[in-house]
């Protein structure tokens, strides 16, 4: 007979512990329906911002590509055409691609950018069915003009994604159903799902 | 009553009892997962229906549609029969468990004079279900599980039976109804407290529940005796395990907590409620136990059974019989 088999106080303490845990508040957030609020400067999916007049902030300088430690960013710059100026500067990004599977979400691109064009948003739900769909090009990175200019991390309140629309807050969580489908990223998701179903 | 044949009454009673017992199984499984979840600071299953109340139905549908695999080298007949041995012996005990008593009669399918012996006989046979399953799988982990089951269940049954004999001596009968009647004045948990503790411990080992679940032992033996089973046959083992748990809970209620007799003269609450409450309390204890204690090592399990439980149970039996024999009548 070993001593620890009869360590009655330890066993009693063990039973008391598990019993008291029955009534404790558990920290689980029911994720798919309620989302936890993240830190204000959370590093999630990228976004390319605009100026108030609709011009792209990105000037195609490729500094983010150089800064990127994971080689996730590809930028090919081009000269602005005088009749169709895409950005205020001389050049703009003809191609801007981020491989989100390579990205380590360090935020160095954000720091390297001289015009605050590339920012990391708090969005983190990027799962998809094909590898190819993780290469985000300008069509998915750039904020469409009708959805505003995009938000710099410093302007973000409490880490709620700016395009979530009306959010209902309850117990430190944010209801994701509210308004998300009406946003531009929500509409992209919807089209992707439709494409898979069809 | 004359017009209705006896066999029809028995069939109807059996169906009612089976229905209730299967429902109890389904929800005791859900509540076990809930309680274990809460003890580990998780919510437990809460996706299917409100508070996860439809989880058992979802599980049943899942079990139904899973493929029923038979290993290539398995003994096909024994492999297929083994789960039924487990289930039938587990279900058989409910035939004689009296749930309550009213002026109209006893609330049980049948009333056997040697009820306790019948139940112990059936639980002994249930070892076959598990050991045959492990043997017929012709796979090493199920075999190890089967060997453990025979060793563990047989050695703990000894102490279990001895702990119950004390109650039988005090009641002077082996009929479950008679044992409950003998407890109207004083529940046997008071005079037979040591017997009660031994019964509780051995019952856990007898039903292969944590911390005595060496037969399954996920962390060492994959799934123990039911490693190779899938689909509905695995489900049968699962049902059998929970039914055994309900059986030993009912038995503990009948033997030590006075069955359906109300405590403190609270007779306005019907006896069946008392019975269910007491049995439910024991079920909770099993879940609580599983959430608290880690699994025992195999040699310590055997040492505990043979070197501690058996001598103490024997001593308890000797003292009880001496007291009963010397008691002034």
């Amino acid at each position: 007979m070993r001593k620890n088999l009869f360590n009655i106080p330890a066993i009693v303490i063990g039973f008391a512990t598990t019993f008291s845990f029955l009534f404790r508040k558990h920290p689980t957030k029911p994720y798919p329906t309620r989302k936890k609020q993240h830190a204000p400067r959370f590093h999630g999916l990228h976004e390319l911002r605009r100026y108030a007049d609709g011009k792209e902030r990105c000037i195609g300088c490729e500094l983010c590509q150089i800064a990127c430690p994971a080689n996730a960013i590809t930028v090919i710059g081009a000269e602005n055409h005088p009749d169709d100026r895409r950005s205020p500067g001389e050049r703009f990004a003809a191609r801007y691609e981020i491989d989100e599977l390579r990205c380590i979400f360090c935020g160095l691109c954000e720091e390297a950018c001289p015009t605050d064009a590339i920012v990391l948003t708090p969005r983190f739900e990027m799962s998809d069915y094909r590898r190819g769909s993780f290469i985000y090009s300008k069509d998915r990175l750039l904020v469409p003009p009708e959805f505003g200019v995009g938000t710099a991390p410093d302007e973000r309140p409490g880490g709620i994604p700016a395009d979530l629309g009306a959010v209902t807050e309850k117990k430190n969580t944010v209801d994701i159903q509210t308004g998300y489908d009406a946003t531009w990223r929500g509409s992209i998701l919807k089209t992707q799902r439709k494409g898979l179903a069809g | 009553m004359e017009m209705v044949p006896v066999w029809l009454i028995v069939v109807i009673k059996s169906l009612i009892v089976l229905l209730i017992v299967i429902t109890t199984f389904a929800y005791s499984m859900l509540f076990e997962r809930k309680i274990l979840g809460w003890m580990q600071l998780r919510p437990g299953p809460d996706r299917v229906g409100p508070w996860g109340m439809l989880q058992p139905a979802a599980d049943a549908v899942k079990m139904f549609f899973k493929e029923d695999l038979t290993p290539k080298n398995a003994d096909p007949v024994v492999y297929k029969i083994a789960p039924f041995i487990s289930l039938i012996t587990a279900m058989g005990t409910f035939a004689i468990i009296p749930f309550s008593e009213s002026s109209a009669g006893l609330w049980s399918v049948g009333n056997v004079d040697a009820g306790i012996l019948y139940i112990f006989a059936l639980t002994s046979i249930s070892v076959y279900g598990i050991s045959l399953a492990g043997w017929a799988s012709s796979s090493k982990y199920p075999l190890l599980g089967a060997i453990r089951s025979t060793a563990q269940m047989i050695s703990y049954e000894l102490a279990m039976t001895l702990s119950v004999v004390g109650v039988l001596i005090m009641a002077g009968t082996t009929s479950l109804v008679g044992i409950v009647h003998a407890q109207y004045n004083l529940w046997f948990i008071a005079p037979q407290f040591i017997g009660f503790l031994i019964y509780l411990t051995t019952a856990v080992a007898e039903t292969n529940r944590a911390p005595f679940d060496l037969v399954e032992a996920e962390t060492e033996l994959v799934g123990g005796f039911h490693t190779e089973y899938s689909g509905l046959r695995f489900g049968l083992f699962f049902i059998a395990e929970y039914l055994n748990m309900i059986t030993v809970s009912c038995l503990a209620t009948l033997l030590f907590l006075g069955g359906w007799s109300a405590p403190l003269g609270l007779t306005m609450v019907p006896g069946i409620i008392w019975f269910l409450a007491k049995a439910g309390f024991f079920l909770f204890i099993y879940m609580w136990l599983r959430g608290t204690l880690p699994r025992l090592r195999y040699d310590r399990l055997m040492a505990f059974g043979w070197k501690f439980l058996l001598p103490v149970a024997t001593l308890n039996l000797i003292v009880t019989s001496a007291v009963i024999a010397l008691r002034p009548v």
Side-chain angles (χ1 to χ4, degrees), chain B residues 167-218:
Chain B
V167 170
L168 301 185
I169 290 174
M170 292 198 71
T173 172
T174 50
S175 152
L176 290 171
V177 186
I179 291 169
V180 173
H181 285 165
Q183 294 180 76
Y184 271 154
N185 294 323
L186 178 67
W187 292 355
F188 285 155
I189 185 172
Q192 283 291 321
F193 191 67
I194 294 171
F196 172 69
L197 288 182
I198 294 170
Y199 175 83
L200 219 60
T201 318
T202 48
V204 180
E206 195 54 25
T207 49
N208 299 320
R209 297 269 312 167
F212 299 118
D213 59 342
L214 280 94
V215 175
E216 291 172 39
E218 301 90 350

Coordinates of all heavy atoms in Angstrom, one line a residue, chain B residues 167-218:
Chain B
V167 N -25.3 -5.9 4.5 CA -26.6 -5.4 4.4 C -27.6 -6.6 4.4 O -28.7 -6.5 5.1 CB -26.8 -4.6 3.1 CG1 -28.2 -4.3 2.8 CG2 -26.0 -3.3 3.1
L168 N -27.3 -7.6 3.7 CA -28.2 -8.8 3.6 C -28.4 -9.4 5.0 O -29.5 -9.7 5.4 CB -27.6 -9.8 2.7 CG -27.4 -9.4 1.2 CD1 -27.0 -10.6 0.4 CD2 -28.6 -8.8 0.7
I169 N -27.3 -9.4 5.8 CA -27.4 -10.0 7.2 C -28.4 -9.1 8.0 O -29.2 -9.6 8.7 CB -26.0 -10.1 7.8 CG1 -25.2 -11.2 7.1 CG2 -26.2 -10.4 9.3 CD1 -23.8 -11.3 7.6
M170 N -28.2 -7.8 7.9 CA -29.0 -6.9 8.7 C -30.5 -7.0 8.3 O -31.4 -6.9 9.1 CB -28.5 -5.4 8.5 CG -27.2 -5.2 9.2 SD -26.8 -3.5 9.5 CE -28.0 -3.2 10.8
A171 N -30.7 -7.1 6.9 CA -32.1 -7.1 6.5 C -32.7 -8.5 6.6 O -33.9 -8.7 6.7 CB -32.2 -6.7 5.0
G172 N -31.8 -9.5 6.6 CA -32.3 -10.9 6.8 C -33.0 -11.4 5.5 O -33.8 -12.3 5.6
T173 N -32.8 -10.8 4.4 CA -33.4 -11.2 3.1 C -32.5 -10.8 1.9 O -31.7 -9.9 2.0 CB -34.8 -10.6 2.9 OG1 -35.3 -10.9 1.6 CG2 -34.7 -9.1 3.1
T174 N -32.7 -11.6 0.8 CA -32.0 -11.2 -0.4 C -32.9 -10.5 -1.4 O -32.5 -10.2 -2.5 CB -31.3 -12.4 -1.1 OG1 -32.3 -13.4 -1.2 CG2 -30.1 -12.9 -0.3
S175 N -34.1 -10.3 -1.0 CA -35.1 -9.6 -1.9 C -34.8 -8.1 -1.8 O -34.7 -7.6 -0.7 CB -36.5 -10.0 -1.5 OG -37.4 -9.0 -1.9
L176 N -34.8 -7.4 -2.9 CA -34.5 -6.0 -2.9 C -35.7 -5.3 -2.2 O -35.4 -4.3 -1.5 CB -34.4 -5.5 -4.4 CG -33.1 -5.9 -5.1 CD1 -33.2 -5.6 -6.5 CD2 -31.9 -5.3 -4.4
V177 N -36.9 -5.7 -2.4 CA -38.0 -5.1 -1.7 C -37.9 -5.3 -0.2 O -38.1 -4.3 0.6 CB -39.4 -5.7 -2.2 CG1 -40.5 -4.9 -1.7 CG2 -39.4 -5.6 -3.8
G178 N -37.5 -6.5 0.2 CA -37.4 -6.8 1.6 C -36.3 -5.9 2.2 O -36.5 -5.4 3.3
I179 N -35.2 -5.7 1.5 CA -34.1 -4.9 2.0 C -34.6 -3.4 2.2 O -34.3 -2.8 3.2 CB -32.9 -4.9 1.0 CG1 -32.3 -6.3 1.0 CG2 -31.9 -3.9 1.4 CD1 -31.3 -6.5 0.0
V180 N -35.4 -2.9 1.3 CA -35.9 -1.6 1.4 C -36.9 -1.5 2.6 O -36.8 -0.6 3.4 CB -36.6 -1.1 0.1 CG1 -37.3 0.2 0.4 CG2 -35.6 -1.0 -1.0
H181 N -37.7 -2.5 2.8 CA -38.7 -2.5 3.9 C -37.9 -2.6 5.2 O -38.4 -1.9 6.2 CB -39.6 -3.7 3.8 CG -40.7 -3.6 2.8 ND1 -41.4 -4.6 2.3 CD2 -41.1 -2.5 2.1 CE1 -42.2 -4.1 1.3 NE2 -42.0 -2.8 1.2
A182 N -36.8 -3.3 5.3 CA -36.0 -3.3 6.5 C -35.4 -2.0 6.9 O -34.9 -1.8 8.0 CB -34.9 -4.4 6.4
Q183 N -35.4 -1.0 5.9 CA -34.8 0.2 6.2 C -35.7 1.4 6.5 O -35.4 2.5 6.6 CB -34.0 0.7 5.0 CG -32.8 -0.2 4.6 CD -32.0 0.3 3.4 OE1 -31.3 1.2 3.5 NE2 -32.3 -0.4 2.3
Y184 N -37.0 1.0 6.8 CA -38.0 2.1 7.0 C -37.6 2.9 8.3 O -37.9 4.1 8.3 CB -39.4 1.5 7.2 CG -40.1 1.4 5.8 CD1 -41.1 0.5 5.6 CD2 -39.7 2.3 4.8 CE1 -41.7 0.4 4.3 CE2 -40.4 2.2 3.6 CZ -41.4 1.3 3.3 OH -42.0 1.3 2.1
N185 N -37.0 2.2 9.3 CA -36.7 3.0 10.5 C -35.3 3.6 10.4 O -35.1 4.8 10.8 CB -36.7 2.0 11.7 CG -38.1 1.5 12.0 OD1 -39.0 2.3 11.8 ND2 -38.2 0.2 12.3
L186 N -34.4 2.9 9.9 CA -33.0 3.4 9.8 C -32.3 3.0 8.5 O -32.3 1.8 8.2 CB -32.2 2.9 11.0 CG -30.7 3.4 11.1 CD1 -30.6 4.8 11.3 CD2 -30.0 2.6 12.1
W187 N -31.9 3.9 7.7 CA -31.2 3.5 6.5 C -29.9 2.8 6.8 O -29.2 3.1 7.8 CB -30.9 4.8 5.6 CG -32.1 5.4 5.1 CD1 -33.3 5.0 5.2 CD2 -32.1 6.7 4.3 NE1 -34.2 5.9 4.5 CE2 -33.4 6.9 4.0 CE3 -31.1 7.6 3.9 CZ2 -33.8 8.0 3.3 CZ3 -31.5 8.7 3.2 CH2 -32.9 8.9 2.9
F188 N -29.5 1.8 5.9 CA -28.4 1.0 6.2 C -27.1 1.8 6.1 O -26.0 1.3 6.4 CB -28.4 -0.2 5.4 CG -29.4 -1.3 5.8 CD1 -29.9 -2.2 5.0 CD2 -29.7 -1.3 7.2 CE1 -30.8 -3.1 5.4 CE2 -30.6 -2.3 7.6 CZ -31.2 -3.2 6.7
I189 N -27.1 3.0 5.5 CA -25.9 3.8 5.4 C -25.3 4.0 6.8 O -24.1 4.1 6.9 CB -26.1 5.1 4.6 CG1 -24.8 5.8 4.3 CG2 -27.1 6.0 5.3 CD1 -24.8 6.9 3.4
A190 N -26.1 4.2 7.8 CA -25.6 4.5 9.1 C -24.9 3.3 9.8 O -23.7 3.4 10.1 CB -26.7 5.0 10.0
P191 N -25.6 2.2 9.9 CA -24.8 1.0 10.5 C -23.8 0.4 9.6 O -22.9 -0.2 10.1 CB -26.0 0.0 10.9 CG -27.1 0.4 10.0 CD -27.0 1.8 9.7
Q192 N -24.0 0.6 8.3 CA -23.1 -0.1 7.4 C -22.2 0.9 6.6 O -22.1 0.8 5.4 CB -23.9 -0.9 6.4 CG -24.5 -2.2 6.9 CD -23.4 -3.2 7.2 OE1 -22.4 -3.3 6.4 NE2 -23.4 -3.9 8.3
F193 N -21.7 1.9 7.3 CA -21.1 3.0 6.6 C -19.8 2.5 5.9 O -19.5 2.9 4.7 CB -20.7 4.2 7.5 CG -20.2 5.4 6.8 CD1 -21.1 6.1 6.0 CD2 -18.9 5.8 6.9 CE1 -20.7 7.2 5.3 CE2 -18.5 6.9 6.2 CZ -19.4 7.6 5.4
I194 N -19.1 1.6 6.5 CA -17.9 1.1 5.9 C -18.2 0.3 4.7 O -17.6 0.4 3.6 CB -17.0 0.3 6.9 CG1 -16.5 1.2 8.0 CG2 -15.9 -0.5 6.2 CD1 -15.9 0.6 9.1
G195 N -19.3 -0.5 4.8 CA -19.8 -1.3 3.7 C -20.2 -0.4 2.6 O -19.9 -0.7 1.4
F196 N -20.8 0.7 2.9 CA -21.3 1.7 1.9 C -20.1 2.2 1.1 O -20.1 2.3 -0.1 CB -22.0 2.8 2.6 CG -22.4 4.0 1.7 CD1 -23.3 3.8 0.7 CD2 -21.8 5.2 1.9 CE1 -23.6 4.9 -0.1 CE2 -22.1 6.3 1.1 CZ -23.0 6.1 0.1
L197 N -19.0 2.6 1.8 CA -17.8 3.2 1.2 C -17.2 2.1 0.3 O -16.8 2.4 -0.9 CB -16.8 3.7 2.2 CG -17.2 4.9 3.0 CD1 -16.1 5.3 3.9 CD2 -17.5 6.1 2.0
I198 N -17.1 0.9 0.8 CA -16.5 -0.2 -0.1 C -17.4 -0.4 -1.3 O -16.9 -0.5 -2.4 CB -16.3 -1.4 0.8 CG1 -15.3 -1.2 1.9 CG2 -15.9 -2.6 -0.1 CD1 -15.2 -2.3 2.9
Y199 N -18.7 -0.4 -1.1 CA -19.6 -0.6 -2.2 C -19.4 0.5 -3.3 O -19.3 0.2 -4.5 CB -21.0 -0.7 -1.8 CG -22.0 -0.8 -2.9 CD1 -22.3 -2.0 -3.5 CD2 -22.5 0.4 -3.5 CE1 -23.1 -2.1 -4.6 CE2 -23.4 0.3 -4.6 CZ -23.7 -0.9 -5.2 OH -24.5 -1.0 -6.3
L200 N -19.3 1.7 -2.8 CA -19.2 2.8 -3.7 C -17.9 2.7 -4.6 O -17.9 2.9 -5.8 CB -19.1 4.1 -2.9 CG -19.8 5.3 -3.5 CD1 -21.3 5.0 -3.7 CD2 -19.7 6.5 -2.5
T201 N -16.8 2.3 -3.9 CA -15.5 2.2 -4.6 C -15.5 1.1 -5.6 O -15.1 1.2 -6.7 CB -14.4 2.0 -3.5 OG1 -14.6 2.8 -2.4 CG2 -13.0 2.2 -4.1
T202 N -16.0 -0.1 -5.1 CA -16.0 -1.3 -6.0 C -16.9 -1.1 -7.1 O -16.7 -1.6 -8.2 CB -16.3 -2.5 -5.2 OG1 -17.5 -2.3 -4.4 CG2 -15.2 -2.9 -4.3
A203 N -18.1 -0.4 -6.9 CA -19.0 -0.2 -7.9 C -18.4 0.6 -9.1 O -18.7 0.3 -10.3 CB -20.3 0.5 -7.4
V204 N -17.5 1.5 -8.8 CA -16.9 2.3 -9.8 C -15.9 1.4 -10.6 O -15.9 1.4 -11.9 CB -16.0 3.4 -9.2 CG1 -15.3 4.2 -10.3 CG2 -16.9 4.4 -8.4
A205 N -15.2 0.5 -9.9 CA -14.4 -0.5 -10.6 C -15.2 -1.4 -11.4 O -14.8 -1.8 -12.5 CB -13.5 -1.2 -9.6
E206 N -16.3 -1.8 -10.9 CA -17.2 -2.8 -11.5 C -17.7 -2.3 -12.8 O -17.9 -3.0 -13.8 CB -18.3 -3.1 -10.5 CG -19.1 -4.4 -10.8 CD -18.3 -5.6 -10.9 OE1 -17.2 -5.7 -10.4 OE2 -18.8 -6.5 -11.6
T207 N -18.0 -1.0 -12.9 CA -18.5 -0.4 -14.1 C -17.5 0.2 -15.0 O -17.8 0.8 -16.0 CB -19.5 0.7 -13.8 OG1 -18.9 1.6 -12.8 CG2 -20.8 0.1 -13.2
N208 N -16.2 0.0 -14.6 CA -15.1 0.4 -15.4 C -15.1 1.9 -15.6 O -14.9 2.4 -16.7 CB -15.0 -0.2 -16.8 CG -14.9 -1.7 -16.6 OD1 -14.1 -2.2 -15.8 ND2 -15.6 -2.5 -17.4
R209 N -15.4 2.7 -14.6 CA -15.4 4.1 -14.7 C -14.2 4.7 -14.1 O -13.5 4.1 -13.2 CB -16.6 4.7 -13.9 CG -17.9 4.2 -14.5 CD -18.5 5.1 -15.5 NE -18.4 6.5 -15.0 CZ -18.6 7.5 -15.8 NH1 -18.8 7.4 -17.1 NH2 -18.6 8.7 -15.3
A210 N -13.8 5.9 -14.5 CA -12.7 6.6 -13.9 C -12.9 6.7 -12.5 O -14.0 7.0 -12.1 CB -12.5 8.0 -14.6
P211 N -11.9 6.6 -11.6 CA -10.5 6.4 -11.9 C -10.1 4.9 -12.1 O -8.9 4.6 -12.1 CB -9.8 7.0 -10.6 CG -10.8 6.7 -9.5 CD -12.2 6.8 -10.2
F212 N -11.1 4.0 -12.2 CA -10.8 2.6 -12.4 C -11.0 2.2 -13.8 O -11.4 1.1 -14.0 CB -11.6 1.7 -11.4 CG -11.4 2.0 -10.0 CD1 -12.4 2.5 -9.1 CD2 -10.1 1.9 -9.4 CE1 -12.2 2.7 -7.8 CE2 -9.9 2.1 -8.1 CZ -10.9 2.6 -7.3
D213 N -10.9 3.1 -14.8 CA -11.2 2.8 -16.1 C -10.0 2.2 -16.9 O -9.8 2.5 -18.0 CB -11.8 4.0 -16.9 CG -10.8 5.1 -16.9 OD1 -9.9 5.1 -16.1 OD2 -11.0 6.0 -17.7
L214 N -9.3 1.3 -16.2 CA -8.1 0.7 -16.9 C -8.5 -0.1 -18.1 O -7.6 -0.4 -18.9 CB -7.3 -0.1 -15.9 CG -6.5 0.7 -14.9 CD1 -7.2 1.0 -13.7 CD2 -5.2 0.0 -14.7
V215 N -9.7 -0.6 -18.1 CA -10.1 -1.4 -19.2 C -10.2 -0.6 -20.5 O -9.9 -1.1 -21.6 CB -11.5 -2.0 -18.9 CG1 -12.0 -2.8 -20.1 CG2 -11.4 -2.9 -17.7
E216 N -10.5 0.7 -20.4 CA -10.6 1.5 -21.6 C -9.3 2.3 -21.7 O -8.7 2.3 -22.8 CB -11.8 2.5 -21.5 CG -13.1 1.7 -21.6 CD -14.3 2.6 -21.4 OE1 -14.2 3.8 -21.8 OE2 -15.2 2.2 -20.8
A217 N -8.9 3.0 -20.7 CA -7.6 3.7 -20.5 C -7.2 4.4 -21.8 O -6.2 3.9 -22.4 CB -6.6 2.8 -20.0
E218 N -7.9 5.4 -22.3 CA -7.6 6.0 -23.6 C -6.1 6.4 -23.7 O -5.5 6.2 -24.8 CB -8.4 7.3 -23.8 CG -9.9 7.2 -23.8 CD -10.4 7.3 -22.4 OE1 -9.6 7.3 -21.4 OE2 -11.7 7.4 -22.3

